[in-house]
Amino acid sequence: MSEHLSPEDAEQLIQVVSTWYAQQLMTERRAALPDPERMAALQEAMAACAADRRALRDAGPRERAEIVARYAARARELDAG
């Protein structure tokens, strides 16, 4: 299924995950005692999303399918958690 997604669909999936990280980062920044390690991890995760979004532009079908599978799994984990 994932190999049939368009690049736009794949980018949207990455955006869903990236938005989750951004929301978590905002929440952490507003905490009474923000955790610098968690903030750094969230920023790194957002940077990875941005890098994958850029990689998607030139990705072939196999690489796009791998990216989509990774983000679909991550989105499910975030929804479950």
Side-chain angles (χ1 to χ4, degrees), residues 12-47:
Q12 185 176 20
L13 188 54
I14 294 171
Q15 184 60 43
V16 166
V17 173
S18 182
T19 297
W20 186 91
Y21 289 131
Q23 290 170 340
Q24 293 299 305
L25 183 59
M26 285 182 4
T27 299
E28 191 63 40
R29 285 180 175 158
R30 292 177 181 154
L33 293 171
D35 181 345
E37 289 180 16
R38 183 159 195 263
M39 288 175 46
L42 290 165
Q43 288 171 332
E44 287 176 19
M46 288 174 60

